[in-house]
Amino acid sequence: MKTALEIANYFIEKSLESGEELTPMKLNKLVYIAHGWYLGLADKPLIGEAAQAWKYGPVIPSVYHRFKSYGGAQITSLEPASDMVTIPEVKDDELKEFLQRIWDVYGRLSGLQLSSLTHQEGTPWSVTRHRYGDNQDNGGAMIPNDLIKQHYKGKVDARRKAA
């Protein structure tokens, strides 16, 4: 399992290399979507942090809080793990290949487009919001990994049947 910040930094690096815009909203959705596909494909969590169902979509709280200072602007640098100089990074080649595929498929989409994908009826965010409503402390209810896994496993199965 990786930290959400390691996965975030991977996508920030891709954005800086390619020139593709990466806002905090887009970054949060990419980390969430990568976590979902990993649960669906590998049957285990990508990150050790729970996603939450906030009013405007699924959020990984540490990613949100770390990058919210950018507002709607482009993220311009990798983030260290703490006040130390160490920058967390993904070193596993198989995981890099997986994350590259996520970037190839979803990285060209805007934060609003990714948000739209994660807000559809029947998504883990939608199910959690219907179940627990809008009045949640600390931003929103936790989206259970089992619910995320079930959703993305369904996508995996649908793609395999279509192939």
Side-chain angles (χ1 to χ4, degrees), residues 47-105:
I47 60 174
E49 181 178 351
Q52 293 182 357
W54 288 17
K55 183 175 182 179
Y56 298 110
V59 171
I60 309 298
S62 66
V63 174
Y64 172 80
H65 291 296
R66 184 67 74 129
F67 297 99
K68 69 182 176 184
S69 64
Y70 285 95
Q74 167 77 19
I75 296 171
T76 56
S77 66
L78 297 172
E79 289 295 316
S82 66
D83 294 334
M84 300 179 299
V85 180
T86 307
I87 294 177
E89 63 179 290
V90 175
K91 296 180 181 175
D92 177 324
D93 288 338
E94 191 174 320
L95 183 55
K96 282 183 183 179
E97 187 177 318
F98 166 79
L99 292 173
Q100 182 63 50
R101 181 73 177 133
I102 297 294
W103 179 255
D104 291 345
V105 172

Side-chain angles (χ1 to χ4, degrees), residues 75-144:
I75 296 171
T76 56
S77 66
L78 297 172
E79 289 295 316
S82 66
D83 294 334
M84 300 179 299
V85 180
T86 307
I87 294 177
E89 63 179 290
V90 175
K91 296 180 181 175
D92 177 324
D93 288 338
E94 191 174 320
L95 183 55
K96 282 183 183 179
E97 187 177 318
F98 166 79
L99 292 173
Q100 182 63 50
R101 181 73 177 133
I102 297 294
W103 179 255
D104 291 345
V105 172
Y106 296 99
R108 60 180 163 58
L109 301 176
S110 71
L112 288 175
Q113 289 170 312
L114 293 174
S115 185
S116 179
L117 290 175
T118 61
H119 289 205
Q120 294 174 1
E121 191 64 34
T123 61
W125 173 82
S126 169
V127 170
T128 302
R129 293 295 289 178
H130 287 298
R131 191 175 293 159
Y132 298 105
D134 287 339
N135 299 321
Q136 297 297 314
D137 295 333
N138 302 323
M142 182 187 78
I143 304 173

Side-chain angles (χ1 to χ4, degrees), residues 3-66:
T3 67
L5 192 54
E6 286 173 293
I7 304 306
N9 274 341
Y10 178 88
F11 291 129
I12 293 168
E13 191 169 47
K14 289 296 164 188
S15 168
L16 296 173
E17 288 171 1
S18 69
E20 183 69 45
E21 182 182 54
L22 185 66
T23 63
M25 176 196 284
K26 182 174 176 177
L27 178 60
N28 219 305
K29 301 307 181 226
L30 284 170
V31 173
Y32 171 78
I33 289 168
H35 176 61
W37 277 109
Y38 200 78
L39 279 164
L41 290 164
D43 208 32
K44 61 184 178 181
L46 175 63
I47 60 174
E49 181 178 351
Q52 293 182 357
W54 288 17
K55 183 175 182 179
Y56 298 110
V59 171
I60 309 298
S62 66
V63 174
Y64 172 80
H65 291 296
R66 184 67 74 129

